Amino acid sequence: MSSAPVSGSGRAREISEWFGALVEHHRATAAAEGESMAELAVGRVPIRFHFAGSRLRPFLFPALAHHPQARSEPAFTILIYDSRPGAAPVPAFPFRLEDVGAKGEVAAATTESIRTTWFIGSRMLSVIDLERKVAICWTPDAATLPWYERAAPLRTLLHWILAASGRNLVHAAAVSLPSGRGALLAGRGGSGKSTTAMLCLAAGFHYAGDDYVVVSADQGQAEAHSLYGSAKLTANSLEWLPFLRSGVQGDAADGEKTVVMLGDVIPERMVDSFGVAALIVPHVSAAPRSTLRRSTAAASLRALAPTTIFQLPGSSGATFEQLASFTRAIPAWSLELGADRDDIPALVAQAIEAG
Amino acid sequence: MRVNTPQINHQTIEGEVVVINLENGFYYSLLDLSAALWHLAASGLDLDAIVERVAATYPDVTDAAGATRAFLDELVAEQLLVDGEGSPAPAEAGLPTRYTAPLLEKFTDMQELLMLDPIHEVDSIGWPHKPTGT
């Protein structure tokens, strides 16, 4: 986790001035190369995505394009850009490579209002000023972005923006019945949540996400909200869902998985928000049949919180507390994924309808 | 003793205590007597006093005191508890009627995730930074 943010007004002012220089750098890039904007409601939070230049939008926007248009003034604006060869250099970072923490967090460029991450693998800078309500995403070259930044773009910035708006980005899948109620599928990578989500999709469920979704509990109503219109499919999943082949992103692959933009292929099956009636923790099992049984809210919390917190920079005890509050409100289930998976969608539906 | 905040956080749901270490990724589950012992220890009650209370509550259980001492020592060894003044225990912090051997269930799967984190497995080509000495 990150260490304490910088203290001292001089250092904080230097970080703030650097943020201002980045904003100006984005403005100059937009003036030189053109710009485009979109205002979307993500988890019902209105966010403006302001691209300078045209190179990053094809990589970062498709997984977000399924969100509805925002109907009110943006709560936050994200400035997004890269640098073409020969362009003015990005304002020098006020921190060193050694300052970057295990999850990309940079305590040396974090103040009361500003948070910073640098992801070395994707060479992506994410900075947010919670007072100015402005966030910045910069990378030196859009063409070098790895596939995972396209499947789950702007994840850190959206995590911070949504947290500031009373939402939690969580590591979970989410599917719903056409009736409008649904289930959150929680668990670490490999637990079977993506497989379960894809089996449900093949059985006619609606889909909010297979890896990261947003949850909220406004006025006691637990809801899940779609975040990304992407899905990571195994070869098996593509067999179950052959109609998704047209949405495969050619070079976006994670080992055995292929990234598909569902929002492009089956927009009618994407659901923006739904009431969560069940929190299901799947487990891959060697049993011949799949089985569903009631579980505990504490088991839900153990499946949901650690894998969320340890992937998202800036998560804290407050995140843990919020997720505990969320899991307390939702009936908990355990789903053993047996060899015969035909029954899985019916079991998920059973949990939803029981809730 | 007190909970080793801010790196250690805990939540109690339906009697189960879930404890998470935000520094190293370990998380824990405590049930039944273990949950009660956690609340007593986190409230600042002296560990020797807790052991004595367990021995008095379960006089027919062989080595209840020894098992409790080992459990409390494990909480300290895991750095879940440190020296300091605790917070008041919740109302349900009494010992349960039925004795169950105290157990700290530890989950280490997040360690793998942290170690697999791809962001540090590449070089720093393109790293912009201030020249040395500025």
Side-chain angles (χ1 to χ4, degrees):
Chain A
M1 299 295 289
S2 60
S3 53
V6 297
S7 57
S9 59
R11 180 64 176 159
R13 191 182 318 116
E14 181 186 352
I15 304 300
S16 181
E17 289 172 357
W18 172 63
F19 188 90
L22 287 169
V23 172
E24 175 57 26
H25 192 238
H26 175 273
R27 191 203 61 75
T29 303
E33 302 183 36
E35 61 191 328
S36 65
M37 283 190 228
E39 294 185 359
L40 304 177
V42 180
R44 300 210 178 96
V45 177
I47 301 172
R48 175 182 291 140
F49 299 84
H50 184 175
F51 293 88
S54 59
R55 288 178 297 274
L56 266 174
R57 185 164 178 150
F59 291 119
L60 299 185
F61 197 64
L64 295 164
H66 65 293
H67 288 290
Q69 293 292 312
R71 294 182 178 176
S72 55
E73 279 297 301
F76 277 85
T77 294
I78 307 179
L79 309 177
I80 307 163
Y81 70 120
D82 70 343
S83 293
R84 67 180 177 189
V90 68
F93 290 9
F95 57 90
R96 302 163 301 163
L97 185 57
E98 306 89 89
D99 296 327
V100 180
K103 291 191 293 183
E105 71 276 21
V106 186
T110 297
T111 70
E112 286 297 318
S113 66
I114 294 177
R115 293 177 181 176
T116 302
T117 61
W118 170 258
F119 289 139
I120 298 170
S122 54
R123 295 195 295 161
M124 180 171 279
L125 176 74
S126 299
V127 196
I128 191 169
D129 188 328
L130 294 167
E131 286 182 2
R132 286 185 247 206
K133 308 286 188 190
V134 173
I136 297 166
C137 166
W138 175 83
T139 189
D141 183 355
T144 63
L145 277 183
W147 70 271
Y148 52 82
E149 295 290 0
R150 307 178 201 181
L154 306 171
R155 194 176 71 191
T156 300
L157 292 177
L158 290 170
H159 160 55
W160 288 333
I161 288 170
L162 292 162
S165 305
R167 276 98 172 91
N168 286 104
L169 195 163
V170 294
H171 185 211
V175 293
S176 66
L177 296 171
S179 64
R181 283 155 60 81
L184 207 60
L185 305 166
R188 55 171 302 202
S191 63
K193 61 182 184 300
S194 293
T195 296
T196 303
M198 289 305 118
L199 286 164
C200 289
L201 185 62
F205 282 56
H206 290 179
Y207 173 94
D210 76 334
D211 210 11
Y212 299 99
V213 295
V214 181
V215 296
S216 63
D218 297 335
Q219 282 121 34
Q221 171 63 45
E223 285 192 299
H225 312 272
S226 179
L227 183 59
Y228 299 121
S230 56
K232 289 181 287 184
L233 303 185
T234 61
N236 275 344
S237 300
L238 272 176
E239 279 185 25
W240 304 329
L241 301 156
F243 53 93
L244 295 183
R245 289 185 188 280
S246 64
V248 170
Q249 301 288 296
D251 58 346
D254 170 22
E256 297 175 351
K257 291 188 177 179
T258 301
V259 176
V260 177
M261 293 299 168
L262 300 185
D264 292 346
V265 188
I266 48 167
E268 73 283 2
R269 298 280 291 281
M270 295 295 301
V271 60
D272 191 57
S273 299
F274 63 79
V276 181
L279 199 158
I280 300 172
V281 179
H283 306 273
V284 176
S285 157
R289 299 203 57 178
S290 299
T291 54
L292 176 74
R293 60 180 171 78
R294 285 302 301 263
S295 182
T296 66
S300 293
L301 180 64
R302 283 190 269 111
L304 185 65
T307 189
T308 294
I309 288 171
F310 292 109
Q311 292 194 42
L312 297 173
S315 296
S316 64
T319 308
F320 186 54
E321 187 175 347
Q322 289 156 8
L323 295 181
S325 176
F326 185 81
T327 54
R328 278 189 185 98
I330 304 170
W333 300 85
S334 174
L335 177 61
E336 300 289 336
L337 305 176
D340 182 356
R341 300 187 167 182
D342 292 347
D343 291 341
I344 288 173
L347 294 172
V348 173
Q350 181 185 329
I352 294 170
E353 286 161 355
Chain B
M1 304 299 282
R2 65 170 178 83
V3 177
N4 186 13
T5 55
Q7 76 184 68
I8 303 299
N9 280 254
H10 61 108
Q11 290 286 324
T12 303
I13 305 181
E14 297 165 355
E16 178 178 341
V17 180
V18 180
V19 183
I20 189 167
N21 186 328
L22 297 174
E23 293 284 345
N24 61 21
F26 295 149
Y27 58 106
Y28 308 83
S29 167
L30 300 91
L31 290 160
D32 305 317
L33 177 58
S34 304
L37 294 175
W38 168 267
H39 289 305
L40 291 173
S43 73
L45 198 61
D46 180 76
L47 298 191
D48 291 335
I50 295 173
V51 172
E52 286 175 19
R53 188 184 292 191
V54 168
T57 304
Y58 310 106
D60 299 331
V61 177
T62 304
D63 203 28
T68 298
R69 167 58 69 184
F71 172 77
L72 294 171
D73 288 346
E74 191 177 6
L75 297 183
V76 175
E78 291 287 330
Q79 299 179 39
L80 307 183
L81 298 175
V82 292
D83 286 332
E85 192 169 331
S87 304
E92 70 270 23
L95 297 178
T97 306
R98 190 171 69 88
Y99 176 86
T100 52
L103 172 70
L104 180 64
E105 190 176 4
K106 180 177 179 179
F107 300 87
T108 62
D109 51 334
M110 288 301 110
Q111 278 267 301
E112 299 166 25
L113 185 148
L114 291 174
M115 292 175 71
L116 287 173
D117 190 334
I119 65 172
H120 278 159
E121 295 179 4
V122 295
D123 62 27
S124 58
I125 294 170
W127 174 253
H129 60 86
K130 285 184 174 181
T132 304
T134 64

